[in-house]
PDB file of all heavy atoms in Angstrom:
ATOM      1  N   LYS A   1      25.306  10.523 -23.873  1.00  0.00           N
ATOM      2  CA  LYS A   1      24.728   9.370 -24.575  1.00  0.00           C
ATOM      3  C   LYS A   1      25.728   8.223 -24.657  1.00  0.00           C
ATOM      4  O   LYS A   1      25.387   7.059 -24.474  1.00  0.00           O
ATOM      5  CB  LYS A   1      24.287   9.776 -25.990  1.00  0.00           C
ATOM      6  CG  LYS A   1      23.042  10.642 -26.024  1.00  0.00           C
ATOM      7  CD  LYS A   1      22.681  11.019 -27.454  1.00  0.00           C
ATOM      8  CE  LYS A   1      21.460  11.911 -27.494  1.00  0.00           C
ATOM      9  NZ  LYS A   1      21.124  12.331 -28.877  1.00  0.00           N
ATOM     10  N   ILE A   2      26.996   8.573 -24.927  1.00  0.00           N
ATOM     11  CA  ILE A   2      28.056   7.557 -25.006  1.00  0.00           C
ATOM     12  C   ILE A   2      28.244   6.881 -23.650  1.00  0.00           C
ATOM     13  O   ILE A   2      28.365   5.662 -23.551  1.00  0.00           O
ATOM     14  CB  ILE A   2      29.380   8.193 -25.481  1.00  0.00           C
ATOM     15  CG1 ILE A   2      29.243   8.653 -26.950  1.00  0.00           C
ATOM     16  CG2 ILE A   2      30.544   7.210 -25.341  1.00  0.00           C
ATOM     17  CD1 ILE A   2      30.386   9.496 -27.438  1.00  0.00           C
ATOM     18  N   ALA A   3      28.246   7.695 -22.577  1.00  0.00           N
ATOM     19  CA  ALA A   3      28.420   7.150 -21.227  1.00  0.00           C
ATOM     20  C   ALA A   3      27.277   6.216 -20.860  1.00  0.00           C
ATOM     21  O   ALA A   3      27.484   5.193 -20.193  1.00  0.00           O
ATOM     22  CB  ALA A   3      28.513   8.292 -20.217  1.00  0.00           C
ATOM     23  N   LEU A   4      26.069   6.554 -21.311  1.00  0.00           N
ATOM     24  CA  LEU A   4      24.895   5.738 -21.001  1.00  0.00           C
ATOM     25  C   LEU A   4      25.020   4.350 -21.622  1.00  0.00           C
ATOM     26  O   LEU A   4      24.554   3.362 -21.055  1.00  0.00           O
ATOM     27  CB  LEU A   4      23.630   6.440 -21.513  1.00  0.00           C
ATOM     28  CG  LEU A   4      22.289   5.942 -20.972  1.00  0.00           C
ATOM     29  CD1 LEU A   4      22.216   6.119 -19.464  1.00  0.00           C
ATOM     30  CD2 LEU A   4      21.138   6.667 -21.646  1.00  0.00           C
ATOM     31  N   VAL A   5      25.678   4.277 -22.777  1.00  0.00           N
ATOM     32  CA  VAL A   5      25.840   3.004 -23.483  1.00  0.00           C
ATOM     33  C   VAL A   5      27.069   2.238 -22.992  1.00  0.00           C
ATOM     34  O   VAL A   5      27.031   1.026 -22.795  1.00  0.00           O
ATOM     35  CB  VAL A   5      25.951   3.248 -25.011  1.00  0.00           C
ATOM     36  CG1 VAL A   5      26.292   1.949 -25.738  1.00  0.00           C
ATOM     37  CG2 VAL A   5      24.660   3.833 -25.545  1.00  0.00           C
ATOM     38  N   GLN A   6      28.173   2.961 -22.774  1.00  0.00           N
ATOM     39  CA  GLN A   6      29.449   2.310 -22.512  1.00  0.00           C
ATOM     40  C   GLN A   6      29.727   2.058 -21.032  1.00  0.00           C
ATOM     41  O   GLN A   6      30.556   1.213 -20.696  1.00  0.00           O
ATOM     42  CB  GLN A   6      30.590   3.141 -23.107  1.00  0.00           C
ATOM     43  CG  GLN A   6      30.549   3.222 -24.632  1.00  0.00           C
ATOM     44  CD  GLN A   6      31.742   3.963 -25.201  1.00  0.00           C
ATOM     45  OE1 GLN A   6      32.463   4.660 -24.485  1.00  0.00           O
ATOM     46  NE2 GLN A   6      31.962   3.828 -26.494  1.00  0.00           N
ATOM     47  N   LYS A   7      29.076   2.806 -20.137  1.00  0.00           N
ATOM     48  CA  LYS A   7      29.370   2.667 -18.706  1.00  0.00           C
ATOM     49  C   LYS A   7      28.243   1.952 -17.983  1.00  0.00           C
ATOM     50  O   LYS A   7      27.066   2.083 -18.335  1.00  0.00           O
ATOM     51  CB  LYS A   7      29.612   4.034 -18.079  1.00  0.00           C
ATOM     52  CG  LYS A   7      30.877   4.715 -18.579  1.00  0.00           C
ATOM     53  CD  LYS A   7      31.252   5.913 -17.731  1.00  0.00           C
ATOM     54  CE  LYS A   7      32.604   6.479 -18.160  1.00  0.00           C
ATOM     55  NZ  LYS A   7      33.041   7.573 -17.271  1.00  0.00           N
ATOM     56  N   THR A   8      28.611   1.195 -16.953  1.00  0.00           N
ATOM     57  CA  THR A   8      27.615   0.522 -16.130  1.00  0.00           C
ATOM     58  C   THR A   8      26.927   1.550 -15.235  1.00  0.00           C
ATOM     59  O   THR A   8      27.420   2.668 -15.046  1.00  0.00           O
ATOM     60  CB  THR A   8      28.268  -0.549 -15.249  1.00  0.00           C
ATOM     61  OG1 THR A   8      29.107   0.101 -14.282  1.00  0.00           O
ATOM     62  CG2 THR A   8      29.090  -1.521 -16.074  1.00  0.00           C
ATOM     63  N   VAL A   9      25.807   1.165 -14.656  1.00  0.00           N
ATOM     64  CA  VAL A   9      25.081   2.080 -13.783  1.00  0.00           C
ATOM     65  C   VAL A   9      25.907   2.412 -12.535  1.00  0.00           C
ATOM     66  O   VAL A   9      25.840   3.521 -12.004  1.00  0.00           O
ATOM     67  CB  VAL A   9      23.695   1.498 -13.419  1.00  0.00           C
ATOM     68  CG1 VAL A   9      23.808   0.285 -12.534  1.00  0.00           C
ATOM     69  CG2 VAL A   9      22.816   2.556 -12.763  1.00  0.00           C
ATOM     70  N   LYS A  10      26.753   1.475 -12.082  1.00  0.00           N
ATOM     71  CA  LYS A  10      27.644   1.752 -10.949  1.00  0.00           C
ATOM     72  C   LYS A  10      28.645   2.838 -11.306  1.00  0.00           C
ATOM     73  O   LYS A  10      28.924   3.734 -10.500  1.00  0.00           O
ATOM     74  CB  LYS A  10      28.390   0.474 -10.530  1.00  0.00           C
ATOM     75  CG  LYS A  10      27.563  -0.529  -9.775  1.00  0.00           C
ATOM     76  CD  LYS A  10      28.441  -1.682  -9.315  1.00  0.00           C
ATOM     77  CE  LYS A  10      27.620  -2.729  -8.586  1.00  0.00           C
ATOM     78  NZ  LYS A  10      28.466  -3.864  -8.130  1.00  0.00           N
ATOM     79  N   GLN A  11      29.204   2.729 -12.497  1.00  0.00           N
ATOM     80  CA  GLN A  11      30.160   3.743 -12.952  1.00  0.00           C
ATOM     81  C   GLN A  11      29.491   5.104 -13.076  1.00  0.00           C
ATOM     82  O   GLN A  11      30.071   6.127 -12.705  1.00  0.00           O
ATOM     83  CB  GLN A  11      30.763   3.328 -14.300  1.00  0.00           C
ATOM     84  CG  GLN A  11      31.725   2.163 -14.217  1.00  0.00           C
ATOM     85  CD  GLN A  11      32.215   1.745 -15.591  1.00  0.00           C
ATOM     86  OE1 GLN A  11      31.422   1.306 -16.438  1.00  0.00           O
ATOM     87  NE2 GLN A  11      33.495   1.895 -15.827  1.00  0.00           N
ATOM     88  N   ARG A  12      28.262   5.104 -13.593  1.00  0.00           N
ATOM     89  CA  ARG A  12      27.551   6.375 -13.756  1.00  0.00           C
ATOM     90  C   ARG A  12      27.217   7.000 -12.402  1.00  0.00           C
ATOM     91  O   ARG A  12      27.254   8.226 -12.252  1.00  0.00           O
ATOM     92  CB  ARG A  12      26.283   6.168 -14.596  1.00  0.00           C
ATOM     93  CG  ARG A  12      26.560   5.730 -16.027  1.00  0.00           C
ATOM     94  CD  ARG A  12      25.369   5.965 -16.949  1.00  0.00           C
ATOM     95  NE  ARG A  12      24.190   5.225 -16.562  1.00  0.00           N
ATOM     96  CZ  ARG A  12      23.916   3.986 -16.960  1.00  0.00           C
ATOM     97  NH1 ARG A  12      24.764   3.332 -17.751  1.00  0.00           N
ATOM     98  NH2 ARG A  12      22.802   3.385 -16.598  1.00  0.00           N
ATOM     99  N   LEU A  13      26.899   6.172 -11.407  1.00  0.00           N
ATOM    100  CA  LEU A  13      26.622   6.705 -10.075  1.00  0.00           C
ATOM    101  C   LEU A  13      27.892   7.313  -9.469  1.00  0.00           C
ATOM    102  O   LEU A  13      27.854   8.420  -8.917  1.00  0.00           O
ATOM    103  CB  LEU A  13      26.080   5.599  -9.161  1.00  0.00           C
ATOM    104  CG  LEU A  13      25.830   6.024  -7.703  1.00  0.00           C
ATOM    105  CD1 LEU A  13      24.867   7.203  -7.624  1.00  0.00           C
ATOM    106  CD2 LEU A  13      25.308   4.861  -6.877  1.00  0.00           C
ATOM    107  N   ALA A  14      29.010   6.590  -9.581  1.00  0.00           N
ATOM    108  CA  ALA A  14      30.281   7.109  -9.064  1.00  0.00           C
ATOM    109  C   ALA A  14      30.636   8.432  -9.738  1.00  0.00           C
ATOM    110  O   ALA A  14      31.032   9.407  -9.085  1.00  0.00           O
ATOM    111  CB  ALA A  14      31.388   6.084  -9.278  1.00  0.00           C
ATOM    112  N   GLU A  15      30.474   8.468 -11.055  1.00  0.00           N
ATOM    113  CA  GLU A  15      30.777   9.664 -11.835  1.00  0.00           C
ATOM    114  C   GLU A  15      29.873  10.828 -11.428  1.00  0.00           C
ATOM    115  O   GLU A  15      30.328  11.971 -11.280  1.00  0.00           O
ATOM    116  CB  GLU A  15      30.605   9.350 -13.319  1.00  0.00           C
ATOM    117  CG  GLU A  15      31.118  10.410 -14.266  1.00  0.00           C
ATOM    118  CD  GLU A  15      31.054   9.936 -15.710  1.00  0.00           C
ATOM    119  OE1 GLU A  15      29.941   9.614 -16.183  1.00  0.00           O
ATOM    120  OE2 GLU A  15      32.109   9.881 -16.362  1.00  0.00           O
ATOM    121  N   THR A  16      28.598  10.539 -11.206  1.00  0.00           N
ATOM    122  CA  THR A  16      27.637  11.581 -10.834  1.00  0.00           C
ATOM    123  C   THR A  16      27.931  12.139  -9.448  1.00  0.00           C
ATOM    124  O   THR A  16      27.873  13.352  -9.231  1.00  0.00           O
ATOM    125  CB  THR A  16      26.200  11.020 -10.885  1.00  0.00           C
ATOM    126  OG1 THR A  16      25.902  10.656 -12.235  1.00  0.00           O
ATOM    127  CG2 THR A  16      25.191  12.051 -10.408  1.00  0.00           C
ATOM    128  N   LEU A  17      28.259  11.273  -8.506  1.00  0.00           N
ATOM    129  CA  LEU A  17      28.589  11.727  -7.151  1.00  0.00           C
ATOM    130  C   LEU A  17      29.817  12.648  -7.165  1.00  0.00           C
ATOM    131  O   LEU A  17      29.842  13.686  -6.490  1.00  0.00           O
ATOM    132  CB  LEU A  17      28.837  10.528  -6.241  1.00  0.00           C
ATOM    133  CG  LEU A  17      27.613   9.670  -5.902  1.00  0.00           C
ATOM    134  CD1 LEU A  17      28.029   8.403  -5.175  1.00  0.00           C
ATOM    135  CD2 LEU A  17      26.610  10.461  -5.071  1.00  0.00           C
ATOM    136  N   LEU A  18      30.809  12.276  -7.942  1.00  0.00           N
ATOM    137  CA  LEU A  18      32.012  13.104  -8.069  1.00  0.00           C
ATOM    138  C   LEU A  18      31.693  14.445  -8.732  1.00  0.00           C
ATOM    139  O   LEU A  18      32.225  15.489  -8.344  1.00  0.00           O
ATOM    140  CB  LEU A  18      33.085  12.364  -8.881  1.00  0.00           C
ATOM    141  CG  LEU A  18      33.689  11.125  -8.207  1.00  0.00           C
ATOM    142  CD1 LEU A  18      34.488  10.307  -9.219  1.00  0.00           C
ATOM    143  CD2 LEU A  18      34.575  11.539  -7.032  1.00  0.00           C
ATOM    144  N   HIS A  19      30.804  14.407  -9.721  1.00  0.00           N
ATOM    145  CA  HIS A  19      30.389  15.632 -10.415  1.00  0.00           C
ATOM    146  C   HIS A  19      29.645  16.570  -9.464  1.00  0.00           C
ATOM    147  O   HIS A  19      29.883  17.783  -9.469  1.00  0.00           O
ATOM    148  CB  HIS A  19      29.494  15.270 -11.601  1.00  0.00           C
ATOM    149  CG  HIS A  19      28.908  16.456 -12.302  1.00  0.00           C
ATOM    150  ND1 HIS A  19      29.643  17.268 -13.138  1.00  0.00           N
ATOM    151  CD2 HIS A  19      27.650  16.983 -12.281  1.00  0.00           C
ATOM    152  CE1 HIS A  19      28.877  18.241 -13.600  1.00  0.00           C
ATOM    153  NE2 HIS A  19      27.666  18.083 -13.095  1.00  0.00           N
ATOM    154  N   LEU A  20      28.774  16.009  -8.632  1.00  0.00           N
ATOM    155  CA  LEU A  20      28.020  16.826  -7.680  1.00  0.00           C
ATOM    156  C   LEU A  20      28.954  17.499  -6.683  1.00  0.00           C
ATOM    157  O   LEU A  20      28.748  18.657  -6.299  1.00  0.00           O
ATOM    158  CB  LEU A  20      26.994  15.960  -6.940  1.00  0.00           C
ATOM    159  CG  LEU A  20      25.864  15.366  -7.778  1.00  0.00           C
ATOM    160  CD1 LEU A  20      24.948  14.511  -6.910  1.00  0.00           C
ATOM    161  CD2 LEU A  20      25.060  16.458  -8.476  1.00  0.00           C
ATOM    162  N   GLN A  21      29.984  16.771  -6.273  1.00  0.00           N
ATOM    163  CA  GLN A  21      30.954  17.352  -5.341  1.00  0.00           C
ATOM    164  C   GLN A  21      31.766  18.462  -6.009  1.00  0.00           C
ATOM    165  O   GLN A  21      31.956  19.541  -5.436  1.00  0.00           O
ATOM    166  CB  GLN A  21      31.903  16.266  -4.828  1.00  0.00           C
ATOM    167  CG  GLN A  21      32.924  16.777  -3.805  1.00  0.00           C
ATOM    168  CD  GLN A  21      34.019  15.760  -3.536  1.00  0.00           C
ATOM    169  OE1 GLN A  21      34.684  15.279  -4.466  1.00  0.00           O
ATOM    170  NE2 GLN A  21      34.210  15.410  -2.276  1.00  0.00           N
ATOM    171  N   ALA A  22      32.246  18.197  -7.235  1.00  0.00           N
ATOM    172  CA  ALA A  22      33.105  19.153  -7.936  1.00  0.00           C
ATOM    173  C   ALA A  22      32.356  20.412  -8.362  1.00  0.00           C
ATOM    174  O   ALA A  22      32.875  21.526  -8.252  1.00  0.00           O
ATOM    175  CB  ALA A  22      33.737  18.481  -9.157  1.00  0.00           C
ATOM    176  N   GLU A  23      31.121  20.238  -8.842  1.00  0.00           N
ATOM    177  CA  GLU A  23      30.373  21.362  -9.394  1.00  0.00           C
ATOM    178  C   GLU A  23      29.599  22.168  -8.352  1.00  0.00           C
ATOM    179  O   GLU A  23      29.443  23.381  -8.484  1.00  0.00           O
ATOM    180  CB  GLU A  23      29.393  20.863 -10.462  1.00  0.00           C
ATOM    181  CG  GLU A  23      30.054  20.414 -11.750  1.00  0.00           C
ATOM    182  CD  GLU A  23      30.733  21.562 -12.481  1.00  0.00           C
ATOM    183  OE1 GLU A  23      30.104  22.604 -12.666  1.00  0.00           O
ATOM    184  OE2 GLU A  23      31.908  21.406 -12.852  1.00  0.00           O
ATOM    185  N   PHE A  24      29.120  21.499  -7.307  1.00  0.00           N
ATOM    186  CA  PHE A  24      28.230  22.176  -6.359  1.00  0.00           C
ATOM    187  C   PHE A  24      28.800  22.267  -4.942  1.00  0.00           C
ATOM    188  O   PHE A  24      28.256  22.978  -4.106  1.00  0.00           O
ATOM    189  CB  PHE A  24      26.865  21.473  -6.327  1.00  0.00           C
ATOM    190  CG  PHE A  24      26.194  21.433  -7.670  1.00  0.00           C
ATOM    191  CD1 PHE A  24      26.306  20.331  -8.495  1.00  0.00           C
ATOM    192  CD2 PHE A  24      25.456  22.521  -8.132  1.00  0.00           C
ATOM    193  CE1 PHE A  24      25.696  20.297  -9.748  1.00  0.00           C
ATOM    194  CE2 PHE A  24      24.843  22.498  -9.374  1.00  0.00           C
ATOM    195  CZ  PHE A  24      24.963  21.389 -10.185  1.00  0.00           C
ATOM    196  N   GLY A  25      29.882  21.548  -4.672  1.00  0.00           N
ATOM    197  CA  GLY A  25      30.571  21.685  -3.398  1.00  0.00           C
ATOM    198  C   GLY A  25      29.965  20.885  -2.255  1.00  0.00           C
ATOM    199  O   GLY A  25      29.037  20.087  -2.431  1.00  0.00           O
ATOM    200  N   GLU A  26      30.533  21.123  -1.070  1.00  0.00           N
ATOM    201  CA  GLU A  26      30.119  20.417   0.136  1.00  0.00           C
ATOM    202  C   GLU A  26      29.682  21.400   1.219  1.00  0.00           C
ATOM    203  O   GLU A  26      30.107  22.557   1.233  1.00  0.00           O
ATOM    204  CB  GLU A  26      31.279  19.578   0.686  1.00  0.00           C
ATOM    205  CG  GLU A  26      31.743  18.465  -0.217  1.00  0.00           C
ATOM    206  CD  GLU A  26      32.957  17.733   0.344  1.00  0.00           C
ATOM    207  OE1 GLU A  26      33.723  18.365   1.111  1.00  0.00           O
ATOM    208  OE2 GLU A  26      33.145  16.559   0.005  1.00  0.00           O
ATOM    209  N   ASN A  27      28.858  20.908   2.139  1.00  0.00           N
ATOM    210  CA  ASN A  27      28.491  21.665   3.333  1.00  0.00           C
ATOM    211  C   ASN A  27      29.618  21.548   4.356  1.00  0.00           C
ATOM    212  O   ASN A  27      30.513  20.701   4.211  1.00  0.00           O
ATOM    213  CB  ASN A  27      27.181  21.109   3.911  1.00  0.00           C
ATOM    214  CG  ASN A  27      25.997  21.323   2.979  1.00  0.00           C
ATOM    215  OD1 ASN A  27      25.745  22.429   2.510  1.00  0.00           O
ATOM    216  ND2 ASN A  27      25.270  20.240   2.698  1.00  0.00           N
ATOM    217  N   PRO A  28      29.602  22.366   5.423  1.00  0.00           N
ATOM    218  CA  PRO A  28      30.629  22.268   6.464  1.00  0.00           C
ATOM    219  C   PRO A  28      30.757  20.879   7.080  1.00  0.00           C
ATOM    220  O   PRO A  28      31.835  20.486   7.536  1.00  0.00           O
ATOM    221  CB  PRO A  28      30.161  23.291   7.512  1.00  0.00           C
ATOM    222  CG  PRO A  28      29.419  24.312   6.718  1.00  0.00           C
ATOM    223  CD  PRO A  28      28.716  23.528   5.650  1.00  0.00           C
ATOM    224  N   ASP A  29      29.647  20.098   7.083  1.00  0.00           N
ATOM    225  CA  ASP A  29      29.694  18.749   7.653  1.00  0.00           C
ATOM    226  C   ASP A  29      30.134  17.702   6.633  1.00  0.00           C
ATOM    227  O   ASP A  29      30.014  16.494   6.865  1.00  0.00           O
ATOM    228  CB  ASP A  29      28.337  18.361   8.240  1.00  0.00           C
ATOM    229  CG  ASP A  29      27.222  18.326   7.180  1.00  0.00           C
ATOM    230  OD1 ASP A  29      27.507  18.617   6.003  1.00  0.00           O
ATOM    231  OD2 ASP A  29      26.068  18.025   7.542  1.00  0.00           O
ATOM    232  N   LYS A  30      30.646  18.154   5.480  1.00  0.00           N
ATOM    233  CA  LYS A  30      31.180  17.298   4.413  1.00  0.00           C
ATOM    234  C   LYS A  30      30.105  16.616   3.556  1.00  0.00           C
ATOM    235  O   LYS A  30      30.430  15.852   2.643  1.00  0.00           O
ATOM    236  CB  LYS A  30      32.136  16.225   4.965  1.00  0.00           C
ATOM    237  CG  LYS A  30      33.370  16.783   5.653  1.00  0.00           C
ATOM    238  CD  LYS A  30      34.224  17.601   4.691  1.00  0.00           C
ATOM    239  CE  LYS A  30      35.483  18.115   5.362  1.00  0.00           C
ATOM    240  NZ  LYS A  30      36.310  18.923   4.427  1.00  0.00           N
ATOM    241  N   THR A  31      28.822  16.835   3.846  1.00  0.00           N
ATOM    242  CA  THR A  31      27.765  16.284   2.996  1.00  0.00           C
ATOM    243  C   THR A  31      27.715  17.071   1.697  1.00  0.00           C
ATOM    244  O   THR A  31      28.097  18.251   1.651  1.00  0.00           O
ATOM    245  CB  THR A  31      26.393  16.346   3.688  1.00  0.00           C
ATOM    246  OG1 THR A  31      26.110  17.718   4.022  1.00  0.00           O
ATOM    247  CG2 THR A  31      26.375  15.493   4.943  1.00  0.00           C
ATOM    248  N   LEU A  32      27.257  16.432   0.633  1.00  0.00           N
ATOM    249  CA  LEU A  32      27.126  17.122  -0.650  1.00  0.00           C
ATOM    250  C   LEU A  32      26.136  18.271  -0.513  1.00  0.00           C
ATOM    251  O   LEU A  32      25.055  18.108   0.057  1.00  0.00           O
ATOM    252  CB  LEU A  32      26.642  16.155  -1.734  1.00  0.00           C
ATOM    253  CG  LEU A  32      27.612  15.024  -2.113  1.00  0.00           C
ATOM    254  CD1 LEU A  32      26.958  14.106  -3.144  1.00  0.00           C
ATOM    255  CD2 LEU A  32      28.929  15.569  -2.642  1.00  0.00           C
ATOM    256  N   LYS A  33      26.520  19.429  -1.025  1.00  0.00           N
ATOM    257  CA  LYS A  33      25.677  20.625  -0.869  1.00  0.00           C
ATOM    258  C   LYS A  33      24.352  20.467  -1.598  1.00  0.00           C
ATOM    259  O   LYS A  33      23.302  20.873  -1.095  1.00  0.00           O
ATOM    260  CB  LYS A  33      26.417  21.862  -1.378  1.00  0.00           C
ATOM    261  CG  LYS A  33      25.685  23.157  -1.138  1.00  0.00           C
ATOM    262  CD  LYS A  33      26.581  24.365  -1.402  1.00  0.00           C
ATOM    263  CE  LYS A  33      27.606  24.537  -0.293  1.00  0.00           C
ATOM    264  NZ  LYS A  33      28.390  25.783  -0.455  1.00  0.00           N
ATOM    265  N   ILE A  34      24.398  19.887  -2.792  1.00  0.00           N
ATOM    266  CA  ILE A  34      23.160  19.681  -3.544  1.00  0.00           C
ATOM    267  C   ILE A  34      22.527  18.365  -3.089  1.00  0.00           C
ATOM    268  O   ILE A  34      23.182  17.328  -3.054  1.00  0.00           O
ATOM    269  CB  ILE A  34      23.407  19.674  -5.068  1.00  0.00           C
ATOM    270  CG1 ILE A  34      22.083  19.517  -5.814  1.00  0.00           C
ATOM    271  CG2 ILE A  34      24.385  18.606  -5.482  1.00  0.00           C
ATOM    272  CD1 ILE A  34      22.199  19.724  -7.297  1.00  0.00           C
ATOM    273  N   GLN A  35      21.267  18.428  -2.690  1.00  0.00           N
ATOM    274  CA  GLN A  35      20.576  17.258  -2.169  1.00  0.00           C
ATOM    275  C   GLN A  35      19.470  16.839  -3.133  1.00  0.00           C
ATOM    276  O   GLN A  35      18.431  17.484  -3.236  1.00  0.00           O
ATOM    277  CB  GLN A  35      19.988  17.561  -0.789  1.00  0.00           C
ATOM    278  CG  GLN A  35      19.417  16.341  -0.089  1.00  0.00           C
ATOM    279  CD  GLN A  35      18.941  16.654   1.320  1.00  0.00           C
ATOM    280  OE1 GLN A  35      19.498  17.508   1.994  1.00  0.00           O
ATOM    281  NE2 GLN A  35      17.881  15.992   1.758  1.00  0.00           N
ATOM    282  N   LEU A  36      19.718  15.740  -3.844  1.00  0.00           N
ATOM    283  CA  LEU A  36      18.743  15.201  -4.782  1.00  0.00           C
ATOM    284  C   LEU A  36      17.937  14.107  -4.104  1.00  0.00           C
ATOM    285  O   LEU A  36      18.442  13.401  -3.229  1.00  0.00           O
ATOM    286  CB  LEU A  36      19.449  14.616  -6.010  1.00  0.00           C
ATOM    287  CG  LEU A  36      20.323  15.559  -6.843  1.00  0.00           C
ATOM    288  CD1 LEU A  36      21.019  14.767  -7.943  1.00  0.00           C
ATOM    289  CD2 LEU A  36      19.500  16.681  -7.440  1.00  0.00           C
TER     290      LEU A  36
END
């Protein structure tokens, strides 16, 4: 909730992409394993 108020949508996208990489990993071709 704090991030939604204090961070811009660009920051939230960057943060989310990093989270997807850290939490769910990458495929052998370096693409994010989780595909939303």
Side-chain angles (χ1 to χ4, degrees):
K1 287 179 181 178
I2 293 170
L4 196 61
V5 173
Q6 295 184 345
K7 293 193 174 185
T8 67
V9 68
K10 285 185 182 180
Q11 289 176 297
R12 296 199 298 272
L13 177 57
E15 190 173 59
T16 296
L17 291 171
L18 292 167
H19 175 75
L20 294 179
Q21 182 192 54
E23 288 295 311
F24 302 96
E26 296 176 333
N27 294 309
D29 62 359
K30 298 298 182 181
T31 58
L32 294 177
K33 186 168 287 186
I34 182 171
Q35 188 176 328
L36 300 175

